[in-house]
Amino acid sequence: MASKKYHHGDLKNALIQAGIKILAKEGVGGLSLRKVAKKAGVSHSAPYAHFPDKQSLIAAISTEGFKQLYAELDAAVSPYANDPRRQLEAGAWAYVQFAMNNTDTFNIMFSGVLEKEKDYPAFVESSRKTFERVVDVVRACQDAGVLRPAPAELLAVSVWGQLHGIVSLALEGQISHVVLDRFSVREIVFSALNQMVLGNPLS
Amino acid sequence: MASKKYHHGDLKNALIQAGIKILAKEGVGGLSLRKVAKKAGVSHSAPYAHFPDKQSLIAAISTEGFKQLYAELDAAVSPYANDPRRQLEAGAWAYVQFAMNNTDTFNIMFSGVLEKEKDYPAFVESSRKTFERVVDVVRACQDAGVLRPAPAELLAVSVWGQLHGIVSLALEGQISHVVLDRFSVREIVFSALNQMVLGNPLS
DNA sequence: GACAATATCTTGACGGTGTCAAGATTTGGA
DNA sequence: TCCAAATCTTGACACCGTCAAGATATTGTC
């Protein structure tokens, strides 16, 4: 469709999608504006009509990552609307899965690749929305006596941080083989989460 | 000393130190082999006599970071050899402080900048040694009934992961202002750690 | 001490990068 | 219809990592 017009039609999105693919295939180090442009079939500086600089494209890709993360989180959690314990379990695992299945996207979202997050409102908003979903689950767990009483947002940072830390260390190869030889990532994650859970443990 | 010889004398270390300074001043994005070389007073490809490539220099800088982290951790923990609870408290806070005072070093150590960690034995060893120190503290806490019984390495991953996750999110600006308006990073960290601690809370 | 092997460092080149300026082309609104 | 704005191309610039060739210093051996 619209194969060879001078104007692309939807270049901005095409660039984002091309960027996502290159990121997945070649990693953060392999992501260049020029490759993205070539993949989208335009000249090397066409992207500047839609993004003021490379950071801005990275922000857009990261934002897309957050939307996907939110969607997967929500999809994992929604089926258990009246079972907070399972919501916590499913949501946590969805987060870990997302990180492990989209290593490089996870990286640009969370690893300082984007230098001035605050400058990108869409990024901030999509990340805020994701956090809100976590807070929802935490609050439900508190109401059901699955998590201890505490300011929900504070507890949410704790839970999210726990997941985020473990999966980050795992992706970095920083988890000792002494541990990895004996436990799966799933076991490590749930072992950690269970420290926070009151009553019956997760699995 | 030895100001203008053709041979530098200790270029390898000079390059690492120059790299550390540039990293601290200009961030990961500003770290280039050529700048490092210039700062050390040598030509742009002199580094190749000591490092096969840029990744290798990054590995050396990261290794230095781990040594510093280990030193600070050890210094914080050692004074309380017979008070495991305070060891945990002091060690945890030292970790967080290191991350916040050396943002960019922390970044290259843990954020996927180094792509094949396994290829750098010194890096792996210095990171392993740091983890061992954490395990020591965790074991002492278990013996004293401060942390629950469990495989010490597994619990150590949990504790380390918790700290690492929270401080990583904080550095990325991912912690909601709703939380930051009400709690300091120290409060967030200890609130999280206290979920793991049996008996009297930390502070 | 002489000399060869080796380690260290310089110079120069290559392709790839982000970014900018100038100009071409297309689109949309007055 | 016509012009302003949006979009895209071409060409240039400085910077980057890396490599090859050669200069210079150090070290080990006789």
Side-chain angles (χ1 to χ4, degrees), chain B residues 47-68:
Chain B
Y48 285 88
H50 303 279
F51 300 100
D53 53 23
K54 186 184 181 183
Q55 283 281 305
S56 186
L57 172 62
I58 290 178
I61 296 176
S62 301
T63 303
E64 214 55 38
F66 267 108
K67 287 181 182 169
Q68 190 190 337

Side-chain angles (χ1 to χ4, degrees), chain B residues 88-103:
Chain B
L88 181 60
E89 182 175 334
W93 188 239
Y95 187 86
V96 172
Q97 294 267 84
F98 174 84
M100 296 181 64
N101 292 334
N102 307 275
T103 314

Side-chain angles (χ1 to χ4, degrees), chain A residues 170 173 175-185 188:
Chain A
I175 294 188
S176 159
H177 67 85
V178 175
V179 175
L180 284 181
D181 285 352
R182 287 200 285 161
F183 305 96
S184 67
V185 172
I188 297 172

Side-chain angles (χ1 to χ4, degrees), chain A:
Chain A
M1 68 283 281
S3 48
K4 269 314 226 7
K5 313 197 312 182
Y6 188 91
H7 278 36
H8 180 287
D10 193 23
L11 183 55
K12 184 163 188 173
N13 278 310
L15 291 169
I16 295 174
Q17 293 308 318
I20 291 174
K21 279 180 192 149
I22 292 178
L23 187 62
K25 196 172 303 173
E26 311 187 37
V28 182
L31 182 66
S32 82
L33 270 183
R34 292 171 102 108
K35 272 189 209 157
V36 168
K38 174 168 282 183
K39 182 147 206 152
V42 292
S43 80
H44 65 260
S45 57
Y48 285 87
H50 303 277
F51 301 99
D53 53 24
K54 186 183 180 182
Q55 284 281 305
S56 186
L57 173 60
I58 291 178
I61 297 176
S62 301
T63 303
E64 215 54 38
F66 266 107
K67 287 182 182 167
Q68 190 189 337
L69 173 57
Y70 179 89
E72 296 188 7
L73 217 52
D74 192 61
V77 160
S78 294
Y80 308 112
N82 40 20
D83 187 347
R85 183 181 298 268
R86 293 197 65 144
Q87 283 199 316
L88 181 61
E89 182 176 335
W93 187 239
Y95 188 85
V96 173
Q97 294 267 84
F98 175 83
M100 297 180 64
N101 291 334
N102 308 275
T103 314
D104 299 282
T105 305
F106 187 76
N107 239 298
I108 65 167
M109 288 164 66
F110 289 113
S111 293
V113 178
L114 191 56
E115 286 165 10
K116 298 188 153 186
E117 306 91 347
K118 301 287 179 57
D119 292 357
Y120 306 95
F123 175 87
V124 171
E125 168 58 16
S126 63
S127 123
R128 190 201 58 77
K129 194 181 162 194
T130 305
F131 178 67
E132 277 306 315
R133 198 70 186 85
V134 175
V135 174
D136 288 344
V137 173
V138 165
R139 218 187 300 270
C141 284
Q142 289 181 299
D143 291 345
V146 175
L147 287 173
R148 72 182 218 276
E153 284 93 355
L154 183 62
L155 195 48
V157 167
S158 188
V159 171
W160 183 17
Q162 177 74 84
L163 295 173
H164 185 77
I166 289 176
V167 76
S168 296
L169 292 175
L171 293 178
E172 277 295 302
Q174 292 280 4
I175 294 188
S176 159
H177 67 85
V178 175
V179 175
L180 284 181
D181 285 352
R182 287 200 285 161
F183 305 96
S184 67
V185 172
R186 187 169 225 271
E187 287 171 321
I188 297 172
V189 167
F190 282 101
S191 157
L193 270 187
N194 273 321
Q195 299 179 116
M196 306 184 182
V197 170
L198 314 172
N200 301 331
L202 307 174
S203 53

Side-chain angles (χ1 to χ4, degrees), chain B residues 3-4 7 27 51 58 95 150 152 160 167 202:
Chain B
S3 47
K4 270 312 227 12
H7 278 35
F51 300 100
I58 290 178
Y95 187 86
W160 184 16
V167 76
L202 308 173

Side-chain angles (χ1 to χ4, degrees), chain B residues 6 8 11 43-45 50:
Chain B
Y6 188 91
H8 180 287
L11 183 56
S43 79
H44 65 261
S45 56
H50 303 279

